[in-house]
Each structure stands twice: as C-alpha cells, then as structure tokens.
Amino acid sequence: MTAEPIVSIRNASVVYGKVAALQDATIDIAKGDFLTLLGPSGSGKTTLLNAIAGVVPLSTGQLLVEGVDMTAVPPNRRGFGMVFQNYALMPHLTVFENIAFPLRIRRVAGEQVHRKVMEALDLVRLTGLAERRPKQLSGGQQQRVALARAVVYEPKVILMDEPLGALDKQLREGLQGEIRHLHAMLGATVVYVTHDQEEALSMSTRIALISDARIREVGSPHDMYFRPRTAFTAGFVGTSNLMKGRYRGDAEGWSTVELAGGGLVRGVPRTDLVAGAEIMVMLRPEAIDLLGPGEPTSGLNLLEGEVTDHSLQGTTWRTVIAVDTETRIVVQRLSRVARSFPLRSRVQLCWRPDDTVILTQ
Ligand SMILES: Nc1ncnc2c1ncn2[C@@H]1O[C@H](COP(=O)(O)OP(=O)(O)OP(=O)(O)O)[C@@H](O)[C@H]1O
Ligand SMILES: [Mg+2]
C-alpha cells in the first residue's frame, strides 16, 4: 500500500484574464518529498506554488491535503510554511521575534516559544544573533532567519519560491546545503521553486519540469538527467548532445541507429521502435570518450569528427567536435586522466551503449 500523498493537485488551472498561467496540472506530493518545480522564467512555477499555498485561487481543479479537499481554504488555514526570494522579514523586530512570530499568532505559550525559537536558530546556525535586527545581518543570514521562521511551527509542508535567488554563488551553495540538512533533519515535505537546473538536481528527491504553463515531466534527478523522456528535458536539465537519426531495427543482431549526418550507433538499449522511425540520439558530454584516428574501439558506435574547440575547465577538458556540417558535439573528460587533443585534429567518439538515450519527441 502506498501512503496517501500529503498534497495532491488535480487538473489545476489558473487563468489571469486571457493568460493561462497554469494548465491542467496534476501531481501528488508524498510526505518527506523534496519536490522542485523547475522551468524557464514565466513558465508558471510561482503560480503553481502560490496555488498550493492558496494565495492564488484555482480557476479549475482541486487541491487535496491528506485526502481532504482544501481548494477553498484560505492560505493561513492550510498549515504551510512559506519562504520567499526576498526575505520578507519584519525590520523593526529582532531575529528572535521574527522567528517567534508564527508561534505568537498561534498563541503558543511563552516558554515553548523560547525553546522552539532557540532550536530553530540552532538548526540554521544563527545561535547568538537572536537580538539583532534584520538590517544588522548579511543577506545569507537574513535568508536563514526566513528559513527558521518557516520551519519553527513545524508546518506540514514548506513552500519556497527561489529562496536563494538574490544571493551570490558561494552563499547560495552554502545555503543549499543548509536547506538539504533542514529537510533531512526535520523529515519535512518541501516544494521548492527554482529556474536553476543544478540547484534542482542537487536538492530534490523529485523534479517537476514546467514549461508554457504545463508540467512536462516528473521524475527523480537521476532519471531526469540520465533517462529524460523528451528533448526539452534533456536540454533543460544539464548539457545534452542531440543528433537526428533513423532507427534501423535489429540488423546484424544489433538494434542500430543510423545518424542523419553519417555514423552508426549500435547496441541501442531500446527496441520497442519500428524500423525506419525518426528519432533523436541524446548523449551527455561526460559519457563520451575520445580516441585518435585508427585506435581500436569497441566498434559499437562509429562516429568521427574534427575538434573545433578545446579548453581546460578545471575538473574537465571541454572539447567540441564537428561530426558533420551542422552537428557539434560537446565532450567533457576529466582533465586529470584524459589527454588533450589539438584544434582541428580528427577524433573518434566512443561511448557505452547504456549511455545512448533514444528520444522520440
Ligand atoms: N497576477 C498576474 N496577472 C496576470 N498574469 C500573471 C500574473 N502573475 C503571473 N502572470 C503570468 O503568468 C505566467 C506565469 O507566471 P509565473 O510567475 O508563475 O512564472 P515563473 O515560472 O514563476 O517565472 P519566474 O521564473 O520569472 O519567476 C507568466 O506569463 C506571467 O506573466
Ligand atoms: Mg516565479
């Protein structure tokens, strides 16, 4: 038996005048999930989060919390915690009182307030700063106060809309760690909005990819990265190489794809396609290895090209290879172990059949 989802959205749409900001969204959020809503700007992420919060009413559809219809319940009675991009702290209150605020409005007893606020401060590593005011804190510290305030009354679900968007890269990475830690420590259910795919990959238990007001694909970070189902996902999550091709069926005992620009991909893992089907082959940059001309390969994939760019990125060499007049393939190999190839040299591209992803849309 699977546990009842803590939140279910069913066929939810939000229409602003003539703009459909969210169309027919259906998703279940399990207890303990860290669900990230990922998508380009204007795709509808905030709209979906606000619809869950109840800040934005649904035009059609339903929202269930633990199986109970809450579509018409106002935001303050849903029991969700919110964290926004701009900390939204109250400037005249101390850090302590900012964090205590949700407890005060719930009329929690004084001693308990003190204990819970101190625990929350500890959790976000701000012990000792309780008496400061928000303007006496750095951006990262303010955002940690906002996190503490969102978790202090142990809400069923914590909703976060780009909470790290205003911070620089280093601070953002530090706080990503804090939020992961909070999620693990509290066993909380989190719905998190970001347009940053790396952040989504590193934080989430599940990602919902949104574009043009629709949920396009939902999956674990691992599946979204290694087994995307659409070219859009492959392109939005991580760097992808896409090549057009035609599925040739089981010739020579192999499932084979003939690439449009020349080249063969054999040992293709997927066999439920009809011969002649137009497909795309997707390869991640780090799945590909490079060899010099004539060097022995597994023979499973036959693809050659010319190096058009080669640069050291630190951890990896990034090499760009023209395999035909239109197609450029990006390859990333660990710089500690991979050798360097000069510009304009000929190379063979090799990869394991398992790393071939076949996309039909
Ligand atoms: N109050 C509103 N009135 C009219 N249109 C709106 C309103 N709020 C959002 N929209 C429109 O709905 C669409 C989705 O907006 P939303 O804010 O959900 O996008 P987003 O994915 O959060 O984008 P971003 O990454 O830029 O924050 C956009 O086209 C936006 O212009
Ligand atoms: Mg937004």
PDB file of all heavy atoms in Angstrom, residues 299-329:
ATOM      1  N   GLY A 299      33.864  -0.733 -31.289  1.00  0.00           N
ATOM      2  CA  GLY A 299      33.187  -0.969 -32.555  1.00  0.00           C
ATOM      3  C   GLY A 299      31.677  -0.839 -32.468  1.00  0.00           C
ATOM      4  O   GLY A 299      30.973  -1.006 -33.447  1.00  0.00           O
ATOM      5  N   LEU A 300      31.161  -0.504 -31.286  1.00  0.00           N
ATOM      6  CA  LEU A 300      29.709  -0.433 -31.131  1.00  0.00           C
ATOM      7  C   LEU A 300      29.137   0.848 -31.707  1.00  0.00           C
ATOM      8  O   LEU A 300      28.041   0.872 -32.239  1.00  0.00           O
ATOM      9  CB  LEU A 300      29.329  -0.544 -29.652  1.00  0.00           C
ATOM     10  CG  LEU A 300      29.333  -1.968 -29.115  1.00  0.00           C
ATOM     11  CD1 LEU A 300      29.083  -1.977 -27.628  1.00  0.00           C
ATOM     12  CD2 LEU A 300      28.279  -2.810 -29.830  1.00  0.00           C
ATOM     13  N   ASN A 301      29.875   1.928 -31.554  1.00  0.00           N
ATOM     14  CA  ASN A 301      29.405   3.146 -32.201  1.00  0.00           C
ATOM     15  C   ASN A 301      30.499   3.689 -33.106  1.00  0.00           C
ATOM     16  O   ASN A 301      31.675   3.678 -32.748  1.00  0.00           O
ATOM     17  CB  ASN A 301      28.958   4.204 -31.186  1.00  0.00           C
ATOM     18  CG  ASN A 301      29.523   3.947 -29.814  1.00  0.00           C
ATOM     19  OD1 ASN A 301      30.724   4.086 -29.619  1.00  0.00           O
ATOM     20  ND2 ASN A 301      28.680   3.556 -28.884  1.00  0.00           N
ATOM     21  N   LEU A 302      30.091   4.090 -34.282  1.00  0.00           N
ATOM     22  CA  LEU A 302      31.056   4.589 -35.243  1.00  0.00           C
ATOM     23  C   LEU A 302      30.723   6.043 -35.520  1.00  0.00           C
ATOM     24  O   LEU A 302      29.732   6.350 -36.164  1.00  0.00           O
ATOM     25  CB  LEU A 302      30.969   3.781 -36.547  1.00  0.00           C
ATOM     26  CG  LEU A 302      31.187   2.274 -36.424  1.00  0.00           C
ATOM     27  CD1 LEU A 302      31.002   1.601 -37.777  1.00  0.00           C
ATOM     28  CD2 LEU A 302      32.576   1.974 -35.875  1.00  0.00           C
ATOM     29  N   LEU A 303      31.538   6.924 -34.977  1.00  0.00           N
ATOM     30  CA  LEU A 303      31.287   8.346 -35.176  1.00  0.00           C
ATOM     31  C   LEU A 303      32.622   9.057 -35.079  1.00  0.00           C
ATOM     32  O   LEU A 303      33.396   8.816 -34.152  1.00  0.00           O
ATOM     33  CB  LEU A 303      30.319   8.856 -34.101  1.00  0.00           C
ATOM     34  CG  LEU A 303      29.794  10.273 -34.274  1.00  0.00           C
ATOM     35  CD1 LEU A 303      28.986  10.403 -35.561  1.00  0.00           C
ATOM     36  CD2 LEU A 303      28.930  10.661 -33.075  1.00  0.00           C
ATOM     37  N   GLU A 304      32.860   9.904 -36.084  1.00  0.00           N
ATOM     38  CA  GLU A 304      34.131  10.630 -36.121  1.00  0.00           C
ATOM     39  C   GLU A 304      33.867  12.099 -36.303  1.00  0.00           C
ATOM     40  O   GLU A 304      32.798  12.495 -36.753  1.00  0.00           O
ATOM     41  CB  GLU A 304      34.940  10.179 -37.339  1.00  0.00           C
ATOM     42  CG  GLU A 304      35.588   8.853 -37.191  1.00  0.00           C
ATOM     43  CD  GLU A 304      36.510   8.600 -38.393  1.00  0.00           C
ATOM     44  OE1 GLU A 304      36.805   9.554 -39.161  1.00  0.00           O
ATOM     45  OE2 GLU A 304      36.912   7.450 -38.545  1.00  0.00           O
ATOM     46  N   GLY A 305      34.852  12.894 -36.000  1.00  0.00           N
ATOM     47  CA  GLY A 305      34.693  14.319 -36.255  1.00  0.00           C
ATOM     48  C   GLY A 305      36.002  15.050 -36.107  1.00  0.00           C
ATOM     49  O   GLY A 305      37.054  14.439 -35.907  1.00  0.00           O
ATOM     50  N   GLU A 306      35.879  16.387 -36.161  1.00  0.00           N
ATOM     51  CA  GLU A 306      37.065  17.235 -36.099  1.00  0.00           C
ATOM     52  C   GLU A 306      36.920  18.179 -34.904  1.00  0.00           C
ATOM     53  O   GLU A 306      35.855  18.768 -34.686  1.00  0.00           O
ATOM     54  CB  GLU A 306      37.154  18.054 -37.393  1.00  0.00           C
ATOM     55  CG  GLU A 306      38.422  18.862 -37.486  1.00  0.00           C
ATOM     56  CD  GLU A 306      38.479  19.657 -38.793  1.00  0.00           C
ATOM     57  OE1 GLU A 306      38.437  19.026 -39.875  1.00  0.00           O
ATOM     58  OE2 GLU A 306      38.538  20.896 -38.715  1.00  0.00           O
ATOM     59  N   VAL A 307      38.003  18.321 -34.141  1.00  0.00           N
ATOM     60  CA  VAL A 307      37.979  19.176 -32.960  1.00  0.00           C
ATOM     61  C   VAL A 307      37.895  20.644 -33.391  1.00  0.00           C
ATOM     62  O   VAL A 307      38.740  21.119 -34.146  1.00  0.00           O
ATOM     63  CB  VAL A 307      39.232  18.940 -32.091  1.00  0.00           C
ATOM     64  CG1 VAL A 307      39.292  19.925 -30.930  1.00  0.00           C
ATOM     65  CG2 VAL A 307      39.266  17.509 -31.588  1.00  0.00           C
ATOM     66  N   THR A 308      36.842  21.346 -32.928  1.00  0.00           N
ATOM     67  CA  THR A 308      36.715  22.767 -33.288  1.00  0.00           C
ATOM     68  C   THR A 308      36.972  23.680 -32.089  1.00  0.00           C
ATOM     69  O   THR A 308      37.093  24.889 -32.246  1.00  0.00           O
ATOM     70  CB  THR A 308      35.305  23.088 -33.841  1.00  0.00           C
ATOM     71  OG1 THR A 308      34.350  22.822 -32.805  1.00  0.00           O
ATOM     72  CG2 THR A 308      34.980  22.263 -35.060  1.00  0.00           C
ATOM     73  N   ASP A 309      37.023  23.104 -30.901  1.00  0.00           N
ATOM     74  CA  ASP A 309      37.316  23.917 -29.712  1.00  0.00           C
ATOM     75  C   ASP A 309      37.784  22.968 -28.621  1.00  0.00           C
ATOM     76  O   ASP A 309      37.277  21.844 -28.519  1.00  0.00           O
ATOM     77  CB  ASP A 309      36.051  24.669 -29.266  1.00  0.00           C
ATOM     78  CG  ASP A 309      36.371  25.730 -28.220  1.00  0.00           C
ATOM     79  OD1 ASP A 309      37.534  26.189 -28.163  1.00  0.00           O
ATOM     80  OD2 ASP A 309      35.459  26.087 -27.447  1.00  0.00           O
ATOM     81  N   HIS A 310      38.741  23.434 -27.836  1.00  0.00           N
ATOM     82  CA  HIS A 310      39.277  22.559 -26.791  1.00  0.00           C
ATOM     83  C   HIS A 310      39.754  23.453 -25.671  1.00  0.00           C
ATOM     84  O   HIS A 310      40.603  24.310 -25.885  1.00  0.00           O
ATOM     85  CB  HIS A 310      40.430  21.744 -27.394  1.00  0.00           C
ATOM     86  CG  HIS A 310      40.962  20.700 -26.459  1.00  0.00           C
ATOM     87  ND1 HIS A 310      40.213  19.640 -26.013  1.00  0.00           N
ATOM     88  CD2 HIS A 310      42.183  20.548 -25.886  1.00  0.00           C
ATOM     89  CE1 HIS A 310      40.948  18.887 -25.220  1.00  0.00           C
ATOM     90  NE2 HIS A 310      42.141  19.421 -25.119  1.00  0.00           N
ATOM     91  N   SER A 311      39.181  23.306 -24.472  1.00  0.00           N
ATOM     92  CA  SER A 311      39.607  24.198 -23.397  1.00  0.00           C
ATOM     93  C   SER A 311      39.575  23.493 -22.050  1.00  0.00           C
ATOM     94  O   SER A 311      38.748  22.606 -21.817  1.00  0.00           O
ATOM     95  CB  SER A 311      38.712  25.436 -23.353  1.00  0.00           C
ATOM     96  OG  SER A 311      37.373  25.046 -23.136  1.00  0.00           O
ATOM     97  N   LEU A 312      40.482  23.895 -21.181  1.00  0.00           N
ATOM     98  CA  LEU A 312      40.544  23.330 -19.836  1.00  0.00           C
ATOM     99  C   LEU A 312      39.573  24.094 -18.940  1.00  0.00           C
ATOM    100  O   LEU A 312      39.645  25.315 -18.833  1.00  0.00           O
ATOM    101  CB  LEU A 312      41.976  23.454 -19.293  1.00  0.00           C
ATOM    102  CG  LEU A 312      42.188  22.886 -17.886  1.00  0.00           C
ATOM    103  CD1 LEU A 312      41.949  21.382 -17.863  1.00  0.00           C
ATOM    104  CD2 LEU A 312      43.603  23.197 -17.400  1.00  0.00           C
ATOM    105  N   GLN A 313      38.640  23.347 -18.306  1.00  0.00           N
ATOM    106  CA  GLN A 313      37.646  23.992 -17.429  1.00  0.00           C
ATOM    107  C   GLN A 313      37.988  23.811 -15.963  1.00  0.00           C
ATOM    108  O   GLN A 313      37.180  24.127 -15.108  1.00  0.00           O
ATOM    109  CB  GLN A 313      36.265  23.367 -17.655  1.00  0.00           C
ATOM    110  CG  GLN A 313      35.862  23.227 -19.090  1.00  0.00           C
ATOM    111  CD  GLN A 313      35.250  24.503 -19.611  1.00  0.00           C
ATOM    112  OE1 GLN A 313      34.225  24.929 -19.106  1.00  0.00           O
ATOM    113  NE2 GLN A 313      35.871  25.116 -20.579  1.00  0.00           N
ATOM    114  N   GLY A 314      39.141  23.236 -15.680  1.00  0.00           N
ATOM    115  CA  GLY A 314      39.460  22.857 -14.299  1.00  0.00           C
ATOM    116  C   GLY A 314      39.321  21.355 -14.163  1.00  0.00           C
ATOM    117  O   GLY A 314      40.195  20.603 -14.583  1.00  0.00           O
ATOM    118  N   THR A 315      38.170  20.940 -13.657  1.00  0.00           N
ATOM    119  CA  THR A 315      37.936  19.497 -13.491  1.00  0.00           C
ATOM    120  C   THR A 315      37.965  18.748 -14.817  1.00  0.00           C
ATOM    121  O   THR A 315      38.370  17.599 -14.892  1.00  0.00           O
ATOM    122  CB  THR A 315      36.553  19.268 -12.834  1.00  0.00           C
ATOM    123  OG1 THR A 315      36.426  20.179 -11.750  1.00  0.00           O
ATOM    124  CG2 THR A 315      36.395  17.858 -12.317  1.00  0.00           C
ATOM    125  N   THR A 316      37.466  19.374 -15.849  1.00  0.00           N
ATOM    126  CA  THR A 316      37.351  18.673 -17.138  1.00  0.00           C
ATOM    127  C   THR A 316      38.001  19.436 -18.289  1.00  0.00           C
ATOM    128  O   THR A 316      38.173  20.658 -18.234  1.00  0.00           O
ATOM    129  CB  THR A 316      35.865  18.461 -17.528  1.00  0.00           C
ATOM    130  OG1 THR A 316      35.237  19.746 -17.624  1.00  0.00           O
ATOM    131  CG2 THR A 316      35.131  17.603 -16.510  1.00  0.00           C
ATOM    132  N   TRP A 317      38.341  18.664 -19.320  1.00  0.00           N
ATOM    133  CA  TRP A 317      38.575  19.233 -20.639  1.00  0.00           C
ATOM    134  C   TRP A 317      37.218  19.327 -21.325  1.00  0.00           C
ATOM    135  O   TRP A 317      36.477  18.337 -21.334  1.00  0.00           O
ATOM    136  CB  TRP A 317      39.421  18.285 -21.510  1.00  0.00           C
ATOM    137  CG  TRP A 317      40.876  18.252 -21.235  1.00  0.00           C
ATOM    138  CD1 TRP A 317      41.569  17.227 -20.677  1.00  0.00           C
ATOM    139  CD2 TRP A 317      41.818  19.268 -21.563  1.00  0.00           C
ATOM    140  NE1 TRP A 317      42.897  17.546 -20.620  1.00  0.00           N
ATOM    141  CE2 TRP A 317      43.089  18.788 -21.160  1.00  0.00           C
ATOM    142  CE3 TRP A 317      41.738  20.529 -22.155  1.00  0.00           C
ATOM    143  CZ2 TRP A 317      44.252  19.523 -21.319  1.00  0.00           C
ATOM    144  CZ3 TRP A 317      42.882  21.261 -22.317  1.00  0.00           C
ATOM    145  CH2 TRP A 317      44.124  20.761 -21.899  1.00  0.00           C
ATOM    146  N   ARG A 318      36.954  20.459 -21.927  1.00  0.00           N
ATOM    147  CA  ARG A 318      35.737  20.575 -22.731  1.00  0.00           C
ATOM    148  C   ARG A 318      36.167  20.621 -24.186  1.00  0.00           C
ATOM    149  O   ARG A 318      36.907  21.530 -24.592  1.00  0.00           O
ATOM    150  CB  ARG A 318      34.977  21.844 -22.363  1.00  0.00           C
ATOM    151  CG  ARG A 318      33.686  22.045 -23.136  1.00  0.00           C
ATOM    152  CD  ARG A 318      32.993  23.299 -22.629  1.00  0.00           C
ATOM    153  NE  ARG A 318      31.744  23.537 -23.327  1.00  0.00           N
ATOM    154  CZ  ARG A 318      31.659  24.146 -24.508  1.00  0.00           C
ATOM    155  NH1 ARG A 318      32.747  24.569 -25.127  1.00  0.00           N
ATOM    156  NH2 ARG A 318      30.470  24.322 -25.071  1.00  0.00           N
ATOM    157  N   THR A 319      35.737  19.631 -24.953  1.00  0.00           N
ATOM    158  CA  THR A 319      36.132  19.549 -26.355  1.00  0.00           C
ATOM    159  C   THR A 319      34.882  19.589 -27.219  1.00  0.00           C
ATOM    160  O   THR A 319      33.901  18.894 -26.911  1.00  0.00           O
ATOM    161  CB  THR A 319      36.898  18.226 -26.615  1.00  0.00           C
ATOM    162  OG1 THR A 319      37.913  18.082 -25.618  1.00  0.00           O
ATOM    163  CG2 THR A 319      37.539  18.228 -27.994  1.00  0.00           C
ATOM    164  N   VAL A 320      34.904  20.423 -28.248  1.00  0.00           N
ATOM    165  CA  VAL A 320      33.761  20.484 -29.163  1.00  0.00           C
ATOM    166  C   VAL A 320      34.193  19.847 -30.474  1.00  0.00           C
ATOM    167  O   VAL A 320      35.281  20.133 -30.987  1.00  0.00           O
ATOM    168  CB  VAL A 320      33.296  21.935 -29.394  1.00  0.00           C
ATOM    169  CG1 VAL A 320      32.047  21.963 -30.273  1.00  0.00           C
ATOM    170  CG2 VAL A 320      33.031  22.624 -28.070  1.00  0.00           C
ATOM    171  N   ILE A 321      33.344  18.958 -30.979  1.00  0.00           N
ATOM    172  CA  ILE A 321      33.697  18.205 -32.179  1.00  0.00           C
ATOM    173  C   ILE A 321      32.606  18.375 -33.227  1.00  0.00           C
ATOM    174  O   ILE A 321      31.415  18.183 -32.939  1.00  0.00           O
ATOM    175  CB  ILE A 321      33.870  16.715 -31.846  1.00  0.00           C
ATOM    176  CG1 ILE A 321      35.054  16.563 -30.882  1.00  0.00           C
ATOM    177  CG2 ILE A 321      34.133  15.880 -33.089  1.00  0.00           C
ATOM    178  CD1 ILE A 321      34.762  15.688 -29.750  1.00  0.00           C
ATOM    179  N   ALA A 322      33.029  18.755 -34.442  1.00  0.00           N
ATOM    180  CA  ALA A 322      32.076  18.835 -35.553  1.00  0.00           C
ATOM    181  C   ALA A 322      32.002  17.450 -36.168  1.00  0.00           C
ATOM    182  O   ALA A 322      33.005  16.953 -36.675  1.00  0.00           O
ATOM    183  CB  ALA A 322      32.552  19.855 -36.577  1.00  0.00           C
ATOM    184  N   VAL A 323      30.812  16.813 -36.076  1.00  0.00           N
ATOM    185  CA  VAL A 323      30.691  15.482 -36.676  1.00  0.00           C
ATOM    186  C   VAL A 323      30.091  15.545 -38.085  1.00  0.00           C
ATOM    187  O   VAL A 323      30.183  14.596 -38.846  1.00  0.00           O
ATOM    188  CB  VAL A 323      29.885  14.504 -35.783  1.00  0.00           C
ATOM    189  CG1 VAL A 323      30.629  14.228 -34.484  1.00  0.00           C
ATOM    190  CG2 VAL A 323      28.492  15.020 -35.495  1.00  0.00           C
ATOM    191  N   ASP A 324      29.449  16.651 -38.400  1.00  0.00           N
ATOM    192  CA  ASP A 324      29.049  16.924 -39.784  1.00  0.00           C
ATOM    193  C   ASP A 324      28.912  18.427 -39.885  1.00  0.00           C
ATOM    194  O   ASP A 324      29.256  19.149 -38.950  1.00  0.00           O
ATOM    195  CB  ASP A 324      27.755  16.168 -40.173  1.00  0.00           C
ATOM    196  CG  ASP A 324      26.577  16.530 -39.284  1.00  0.00           C
ATOM    197  OD1 ASP A 324      26.276  17.737 -39.155  1.00  0.00           O
ATOM    198  OD2 ASP A 324      25.956  15.618 -38.707  1.00  0.00           O
ATOM    199  N   THR A 325      28.394  18.934 -40.990  1.00  0.00           N
ATOM    200  CA  THR A 325      28.388  20.392 -41.173  1.00  0.00           C
ATOM    201  C   THR A 325      27.477  21.099 -40.172  1.00  0.00           C
ATOM    202  O   THR A 325      27.674  22.258 -39.865  1.00  0.00           O
ATOM    203  CB  THR A 325      27.957  20.763 -42.613  1.00  0.00           C
ATOM    204  OG1 THR A 325      26.760  20.036 -42.905  1.00  0.00           O
ATOM    205  CG2 THR A 325      29.040  20.424 -43.624  1.00  0.00           C
ATOM    206  N   GLU A 326      26.478  20.376 -39.657  1.00  0.00           N
ATOM    207  CA  GLU A 326      25.524  21.036 -38.746  1.00  0.00           C
ATOM    208  C   GLU A 326      25.702  20.672 -37.286  1.00  0.00           C
ATOM    209  O   GLU A 326      25.303  21.430 -36.410  1.00  0.00           O
ATOM    210  CB  GLU A 326      24.090  20.632 -39.123  1.00  0.00           C
ATOM    211  CG  GLU A 326      23.570  21.345 -40.340  1.00  0.00           C
ATOM    212  CD  GLU A 326      22.438  20.560 -40.975  1.00  0.00           C
ATOM    213  OE1 GLU A 326      21.669  19.904 -40.248  1.00  0.00           O
ATOM    214  OE2 GLU A 326      22.351  20.591 -42.215  1.00  0.00           O
ATOM    215  N   THR A 327      26.256  19.502 -37.005  1.00  0.00           N
ATOM    216  CA  THR A 327      26.208  18.978 -35.635  1.00  0.00           C
ATOM    217  C   THR A 327      27.517  19.156 -34.892  1.00  0.00           C
ATOM    218  O   THR A 327      28.567  18.730 -35.356  1.00  0.00           O
ATOM    219  CB  THR A 327      25.838  17.474 -35.657  1.00  0.00           C
ATOM    220  OG1 THR A 327      24.781  17.285 -36.585  1.00  0.00           O
ATOM    221  CG2 THR A 327      25.416  16.995 -34.276  1.00  0.00           C
ATOM    222  N   ARG A 328      27.424  19.839 -33.748  1.00  0.00           N
ATOM    223  CA  ARG A 328      28.574  19.986 -32.849  1.00  0.00           C
ATOM    224  C   ARG A 328      28.306  19.166 -31.594  1.00  0.00           C
ATOM    225  O   ARG A 328      27.231  19.279 -30.999  1.00  0.00           O
ATOM    226  CB  ARG A 328      28.740  21.455 -32.423  1.00  0.00           C
ATOM    227  CG  ARG A 328      28.995  22.420 -33.566  1.00  0.00           C
ATOM    228  CD  ARG A 328      30.477  22.436 -33.910  1.00  0.00           C
ATOM    229  NE  ARG A 328      30.805  23.353 -35.002  1.00  0.00           N
ATOM    230  CZ  ARG A 328      30.585  23.093 -36.292  1.00  0.00           C
ATOM    231  NH1 ARG A 328      29.999  21.976 -36.661  1.00  0.00           N
ATOM    232  NH2 ARG A 328      30.937  23.965 -37.209  1.00  0.00           N
ATOM    233  N   ILE A 329      29.248  18.360 -31.219  1.00  0.00           N
ATOM    234  CA  ILE A 329      29.107  17.518 -30.020  1.00  0.00           C
ATOM    235  C   ILE A 329      30.066  18.041 -28.957  1.00  0.00           C
ATOM    236  O   ILE A 329      31.249  18.260 -29.223  1.00  0.00           O
ATOM    237  CB  ILE A 329      29.458  16.049 -30.354  1.00  0.00           C
ATOM    238  CG1 ILE A 329      28.544  15.497 -31.450  1.00  0.00           C
ATOM    239  CG2 ILE A 329      29.395  15.171 -29.103  1.00  0.00           C
ATOM    240  CD1 ILE A 329      27.099  15.359 -31.055  1.00  0.00           C
TER     241      ILE A 329
END
